[in-house]
Amino acid sequence: FFCRPRSHSSATASVALRISSGMDTTTTTLLDGTSVLADPDLQEHTAKAGSLAVRGFFKWVTFEVLGHAVLATLCTGTSYVLFQYILNVENINVNLLPHVLIGMVLGVILVARIVNGSQQATSAAGSVIAFASTLRTVAMLSCNVSETLTINAGADHEKKATTKFRYELVRLLNLSFYCYTLMLKGLKLVTPPASLIPLEGGVMEAEVLSVVSCPTAMVCKWITSLLEEQRQAARITDQQVSVMTTELIKLMKVYQDTHGLQFTPMPAMLNGFSYFFVVVWVYSMAPVIAMMEMHDNGDLNNEGFGLGLAFSFFLALFYFGLYEAGKIIEQPLAGVVDLLPIDEMGHTLSDDLSNLVDDPNDEVPVFLPRPPDARNGKI
């Protein structure tokens, strides 16, 4: 088996993209005379993933979190004024030990939520990579299909049939990944992209995909039927069909594992418990901070009043921010979409699938090419 390179114009455009996007294209010669350069595809994916990660740095700072922080600050200021000017309380001595212990326990629980959610998101990200890897394996195994097995039945007919098989297989593999990414984003396919519509029966196929609950599973079924047609035509042996079917079973398992994360019951009791005691602890800490500042400084005009307000704000921001960051446990797939360049992975996969099939006449296109802006260096 060998990987068929793309056309010269496509390779030239790819090199231009790497140079214009600032990628390192310097060639290095090793001691044994081998010339190498940094993997441009890896650089592209790493840069895209890093850009997505930067966007998520302050995603936990929501209006709800800021609202709680501001409200807790106002509670501290109100308590300060209430104790000094209305209740005329003096020499208050507050024991902080209960609040400190409860705060430590809450911090551990909130961090545990984040770790659990991150593990689920990491598992989902691994499933995406495994899904794409299995598609590449199926494309490579399709090289076993050849018209030479029944050359006596008519060379032209067999050549056209084999070419059609390669085209349809790669199209369906691309379509399965496209439906899979839509599932990750919580979307449902209504009309597939024009490049993935078959030459015949496109309307019927689109209607079926828009009706079924699992479009990816339906596409895998079509791939199985396509393989069975080749087996009946003696273009592929039973053993080879068995190997490819095993890969399709792996594909469905990865899909089911990922899809199951959408319906896995989130720990509602833990979430409710955490949120309730974070609210109680933060807002009960507001008057405690006011009492501490009054005990240490005793005067509203003192700088301690401003420090108390700042401490309340950042304390509330910290605890409510921890709770917000832990919400990834509720939607791990959303975290994957935010951190992985899913669309860019689809473009790279589409190019790989076209290269991996045995297509000497270059009749299998890249079904999901990069958009024009990406070709011009705008990733």
PDB file of all heavy atoms in Angstrom, residues 5 14 18 41 56 58 70 108 120 124 134 138 163 187 232 235 240 243 308 310 312 354:
ATOM      1  N   PRO A   5       0.118  10.964  -3.419  1.00  0.00           N
ATOM      2  CA  PRO A   5       0.208  12.398  -3.143  1.00  0.00           C
ATOM      3  C   PRO A   5      -0.815  13.183  -3.935  1.00  0.00           C
ATOM      4  O   PRO A   5      -1.284  12.754  -4.977  1.00  0.00           O
ATOM      5  CB  PRO A   5       1.649  12.749  -3.570  1.00  0.00           C
ATOM      6  CG  PRO A   5       1.984  11.726  -4.617  1.00  0.00           C
ATOM      7  CD  PRO A   5       1.277  10.475  -4.203  1.00  0.00           C
ATOM      8  N   SER A  14      -0.351  24.390  -0.443  1.00  0.00           N
ATOM      9  CA  SER A  14      -0.100  24.022   0.949  1.00  0.00           C
ATOM     10  C   SER A  14       1.179  24.663   1.466  1.00  0.00           C
ATOM     11  O   SER A  14       1.237  25.161   2.588  1.00  0.00           O
ATOM     12  CB  SER A  14      -0.024  22.494   1.082  1.00  0.00           C
ATOM     13  OG  SER A  14       0.268  22.116   2.396  1.00  0.00           O
ATOM     14  N   ARG A  18       1.671  27.473   4.553  1.00  0.00           N
ATOM     15  CA  ARG A  18       2.560  27.346   5.701  1.00  0.00           C
ATOM     16  C   ARG A  18       3.460  28.568   5.844  1.00  0.00           C
ATOM     17  O   ARG A  18       3.724  29.046   6.946  1.00  0.00           O
ATOM     18  CB  ARG A  18       3.409  26.081   5.546  1.00  0.00           C
ATOM     19  CG  ARG A  18       2.574  24.803   5.585  1.00  0.00           C
ATOM     20  CD  ARG A  18       3.348  23.624   5.056  1.00  0.00           C
ATOM     21  NE  ARG A  18       2.500  22.442   4.923  1.00  0.00           N
ATOM     22  CZ  ARG A  18       2.850  21.341   4.289  1.00  0.00           C
ATOM     23  NH1 ARG A  18       4.038  21.271   3.714  1.00  0.00           N
ATOM     24  NH2 ARG A  18       2.018  20.323   4.216  1.00  0.00           N
ATOM     25  N   ASP A  41       1.599  20.234   9.663  1.00  0.00           N
ATOM     26  CA  ASP A  41       0.247  19.920  10.113  1.00  0.00           C
ATOM     27  C   ASP A  41       0.164  19.956  11.635  1.00  0.00           C
ATOM     28  O   ASP A  41      -0.801  20.454  12.210  1.00  0.00           O
ATOM     29  CB  ASP A  41      -0.178  18.545   9.598  1.00  0.00           C
ATOM     30  CG  ASP A  41      -0.376  18.538   8.090  1.00  0.00           C
ATOM     31  OD1 ASP A  41      -0.731  19.601   7.543  1.00  0.00           O
ATOM     32  OD2 ASP A  41      -0.156  17.478   7.465  1.00  0.00           O
ATOM     33  N   GLY A  56     -10.491  30.321  26.136  1.00  0.00           N
ATOM     34  CA  GLY A  56     -11.191  29.766  27.287  1.00  0.00           C
ATOM     35  C   GLY A  56     -10.576  30.118  28.624  1.00  0.00           C
ATOM     36  O   GLY A  56     -11.044  29.633  29.662  1.00  0.00           O
ATOM     37  N   PHE A  58     -10.625  32.833  30.462  1.00  0.00           N
ATOM     38  CA  PHE A  58     -11.525  33.541  31.376  1.00  0.00           C
ATOM     39  C   PHE A  58     -12.991  33.229  31.082  1.00  0.00           C
ATOM     40  O   PHE A  58     -13.871  34.056  31.351  1.00  0.00           O
ATOM     41  CB  PHE A  58     -11.280  35.052  31.276  1.00  0.00           C
ATOM     42  CG  PHE A  58      -9.903  35.469  31.723  1.00  0.00           C
ATOM     43  CD1 PHE A  58      -8.901  35.719  30.806  1.00  0.00           C
ATOM     44  CD2 PHE A  58      -9.619  35.577  33.081  1.00  0.00           C
ATOM     45  CE1 PHE A  58      -7.630  36.088  31.214  1.00  0.00           C
ATOM     46  CE2 PHE A  58      -8.342  35.940  33.504  1.00  0.00           C
ATOM     47  CZ  PHE A  58      -7.348  36.201  32.574  1.00  0.00           C
ATOM     48  N   VAL A  70     -19.914  41.026  43.128  1.00  0.00           N
ATOM     49  CA  VAL A  70     -20.330  42.402  43.442  1.00  0.00           C
ATOM     50  C   VAL A  70     -21.313  42.403  44.594  1.00  0.00           C
ATOM     51  O   VAL A  70     -21.233  43.243  45.514  1.00  0.00           O
ATOM     52  CB  VAL A  70     -20.944  43.067  42.191  1.00  0.00           C
ATOM     53  CG1 VAL A  70     -21.575  44.418  42.550  1.00  0.00           C
ATOM     54  CG2 VAL A  70     -19.885  43.249  41.110  1.00  0.00           C
ATOM     55  N   VAL A 108     -11.932  21.747  48.335  1.00  0.00           N
ATOM     56  CA  VAL A 108     -11.600  20.396  47.884  1.00  0.00           C
ATOM     57  C   VAL A 108     -12.711  19.837  46.986  1.00  0.00           C
ATOM     58  O   VAL A 108     -12.455  19.228  45.940  1.00  0.00           O
ATOM     59  CB  VAL A 108     -11.353  19.474  49.086  1.00  0.00           C
ATOM     60  CG1 VAL A 108     -11.210  18.020  48.627  1.00  0.00           C
ATOM     61  CG2 VAL A 108     -10.109  19.909  49.846  1.00  0.00           C
ATOM     62  N   GLN A 120     -13.452  13.572  32.054  1.00  0.00           N
ATOM     63  CA  GLN A 120     -14.467  13.218  31.068  1.00  0.00           C
ATOM     64  C   GLN A 120     -14.199  13.910  29.737  1.00  0.00           C
ATOM     65  O   GLN A 120     -14.366  13.312  28.663  1.00  0.00           O
ATOM     66  CB  GLN A 120     -15.858  13.580  31.583  1.00  0.00           C
ATOM     67  CG  GLN A 120     -16.323  12.754  32.758  1.00  0.00           C
ATOM     68  CD  GLN A 120     -17.791  12.971  33.066  1.00  0.00           C
ATOM     69  OE1 GLN A 120     -18.568  13.361  32.205  1.00  0.00           O
ATOM     70  NE2 GLN A 120     -18.170  12.742  34.300  1.00  0.00           N
ATOM     71  N   ALA A 124     -13.407  12.191  26.130  1.00  0.00           N
ATOM     72  CA  ALA A 124     -14.127  12.526  24.901  1.00  0.00           C
ATOM     73  C   ALA A 124     -13.162  12.947  23.799  1.00  0.00           C
ATOM     74  O   ALA A 124     -13.346  12.587  22.627  1.00  0.00           O
ATOM     75  CB  ALA A 124     -15.137  13.639  25.178  1.00  0.00           C
ATOM     76  N   THR A 134      -9.683   5.344  13.207  1.00  0.00           N
ATOM     77  CA  THR A 134     -10.357   4.172  12.647  1.00  0.00           C
ATOM     78  C   THR A 134     -10.801   4.434  11.212  1.00  0.00           C
ATOM     79  O   THR A 134     -10.736   3.541  10.352  1.00  0.00           O
ATOM     80  CB  THR A 134     -11.568   3.797  13.515  1.00  0.00           C
ATOM     81  OG1 THR A 134     -11.149   3.624  14.873  1.00  0.00           O
ATOM     82  CG2 THR A 134     -12.212   2.512  13.029  1.00  0.00           C
ATOM     83  N   VAL A 138      -9.844   2.149   7.869  1.00  0.00           N
ATOM     84  CA  VAL A 138     -10.791   1.609   6.899  1.00  0.00           C
ATOM     85  C   VAL A 138     -10.406   2.034   5.486  1.00  0.00           C
ATOM     86  O   VAL A 138     -10.462   1.232   4.539  1.00  0.00           O
ATOM     87  CB  VAL A 138     -12.222   2.063   7.234  1.00  0.00           C
ATOM     88  CG1 VAL A 138     -13.196   1.639   6.138  1.00  0.00           C
ATOM     89  CG2 VAL A 138     -12.669   1.488   8.569  1.00  0.00           C
ATOM     90  N   THR A 163     -13.791   1.992  -9.123  1.00  0.00           N
ATOM     91  CA  THR A 163     -13.632   3.441  -8.956  1.00  0.00           C
ATOM     92  C   THR A 163     -14.808   4.032  -8.200  1.00  0.00           C
ATOM     93  O   THR A 163     -14.640   4.888  -7.310  1.00  0.00           O
ATOM     94  CB  THR A 163     -13.487   4.116 -10.333  1.00  0.00           C
ATOM     95  OG1 THR A 163     -12.348   3.578 -11.007  1.00  0.00           O
ATOM     96  CG2 THR A 163     -13.328   5.619 -10.179  1.00  0.00           C
ATOM     97  N   LEU A 187     -25.594  19.317  17.485  1.00  0.00           N
ATOM     98  CA  LEU A 187     -26.379  19.704  16.312  1.00  0.00           C
ATOM     99  C   LEU A 187     -26.895  18.464  15.599  1.00  0.00           C
ATOM    100  O   LEU A 187     -26.404  17.354  15.800  1.00  0.00           O
ATOM    101  CB  LEU A 187     -25.534  20.552  15.358  1.00  0.00           C
ATOM    102  CG  LEU A 187     -24.927  21.825  15.947  1.00  0.00           C
ATOM    103  CD1 LEU A 187     -24.021  22.504  14.923  1.00  0.00           C
ATOM    104  CD2 LEU A 187     -26.008  22.792  16.423  1.00  0.00           C
ATOM    105  N   GLN A 232     -19.866  -9.717  -2.745  1.00  0.00           N
ATOM    106  CA  GLN A 232     -20.687 -10.513  -3.649  1.00  0.00           C
ATOM    107  C   GLN A 232     -20.146 -10.466  -5.078  1.00  0.00           C
ATOM    108  O   GLN A 232     -20.329 -11.426  -5.841  1.00  0.00           O
ATOM    109  CB  GLN A 232     -22.131 -10.011  -3.615  1.00  0.00           C
ATOM    110  CG  GLN A 232     -22.841 -10.261  -2.299  1.00  0.00           C
ATOM    111  CD  GLN A 232     -24.273  -9.766  -2.304  1.00  0.00           C
ATOM    112  OE1 GLN A 232     -24.759  -9.225  -3.297  1.00  0.00           O
ATOM    113  NE2 GLN A 232     -24.968  -9.952  -1.189  1.00  0.00           N
ATOM    114  N   ARG A 235     -14.797  -8.956  -5.506  1.00  0.00           N
ATOM    115  CA  ARG A 235     -13.690  -8.004  -5.578  1.00  0.00           C
ATOM    116  C   ARG A 235     -12.903  -7.977  -4.268  1.00  0.00           C
ATOM    117  O   ARG A 235     -11.857  -7.325  -4.197  1.00  0.00           O
ATOM    118  CB  ARG A 235     -14.214  -6.599  -5.881  1.00  0.00           C
ATOM    119  CG  ARG A 235     -14.983  -6.483  -7.192  1.00  0.00           C
ATOM    120  CD  ARG A 235     -15.325  -5.046  -7.534  1.00  0.00           C
ATOM    121  NE  ARG A 235     -16.208  -4.992  -8.687  1.00  0.00           N
ATOM    122  CZ  ARG A 235     -17.533  -4.842  -8.607  1.00  0.00           C
ATOM    123  NH1 ARG A 235     -18.114  -4.697  -7.422  1.00  0.00           N
ATOM    124  NH2 ARG A 235     -18.273  -4.823  -9.699  1.00  0.00           N
ATOM    125  N   GLN A 240     -11.073 -10.416   4.235  1.00  0.00           N
ATOM    126  CA  GLN A 240     -10.832  -8.973   4.164  1.00  0.00           C
ATOM    127  C   GLN A 240     -12.063  -8.187   4.605  1.00  0.00           C
ATOM    128  O   GLN A 240     -11.954  -7.158   5.280  1.00  0.00           O
ATOM    129  CB  GLN A 240     -10.427  -8.590   2.743  1.00  0.00           C
ATOM    130  CG  GLN A 240      -9.069  -9.146   2.336  1.00  0.00           C
ATOM    131  CD  GLN A 240      -8.807  -9.034   0.852  1.00  0.00           C
ATOM    132  OE1 GLN A 240      -9.735  -8.867   0.055  1.00  0.00           O
ATOM    133  NE2 GLN A 240      -7.545  -9.134   0.449  1.00  0.00           N
ATOM    134  N   VAL A 243     -12.145  -8.213   8.378  1.00  0.00           N
ATOM    135  CA  VAL A 243     -11.220  -7.251   8.996  1.00  0.00           C
ATOM    136  C   VAL A 243     -11.798  -5.839   8.958  1.00  0.00           C
ATOM    137  O   VAL A 243     -11.763  -5.107   9.955  1.00  0.00           O
ATOM    138  CB  VAL A 243      -9.857  -7.299   8.273  1.00  0.00           C
ATOM    139  CG1 VAL A 243      -8.950  -6.171   8.789  1.00  0.00           C
ATOM    140  CG2 VAL A 243      -9.187  -8.654   8.497  1.00  0.00           C
ATOM    141  N   GLY A 308     -11.263  45.398  53.025  1.00  0.00           N
ATOM    142  CA  GLY A 308     -12.318  44.423  53.295  1.00  0.00           C
ATOM    143  C   GLY A 308     -13.211  44.205  52.081  1.00  0.00           C
ATOM    144  O   GLY A 308     -13.589  43.074  51.763  1.00  0.00           O
ATOM    145  N   ALA A 310     -12.316  44.709  48.934  1.00  0.00           N
ATOM    146  CA  ALA A 310     -11.530  44.004  47.915  1.00  0.00           C
ATOM    147  C   ALA A 310     -11.406  42.520  48.258  1.00  0.00           C
ATOM    148  O   ALA A 310     -11.525  41.650  47.374  1.00  0.00           O
ATOM    149  CB  ALA A 310     -10.143  44.643  47.790  1.00  0.00           C
ATOM    150  N   SER A 312     -13.528  40.679  49.987  1.00  0.00           N
ATOM    151  CA  SER A 312     -14.819  40.041  49.748  1.00  0.00           C
ATOM    152  C   SER A 312     -15.033  39.792  48.260  1.00  0.00           C
ATOM    153  O   SER A 312     -15.528  38.721  47.861  1.00  0.00           O
ATOM    154  CB  SER A 312     -15.960  40.919  50.283  1.00  0.00           C
ATOM    155  OG  SER A 312     -15.884  41.032  51.674  1.00  0.00           O
ATOM    156  N   SER A 354      -8.439  10.673   1.205  1.00  0.00           N
ATOM    157  CA  SER A 354      -8.253  10.665  -0.252  1.00  0.00           C
ATOM    158  C   SER A 354      -6.883  10.129  -0.638  1.00  0.00           C
ATOM    159  O   SER A 354      -6.716   9.506  -1.692  1.00  0.00           O
ATOM    160  CB  SER A 354      -8.439  12.083  -0.814  1.00  0.00           C
ATOM    161  OG  SER A 354      -9.738  12.565  -0.566  1.00  0.00           O
TER     162      SER A 354
END
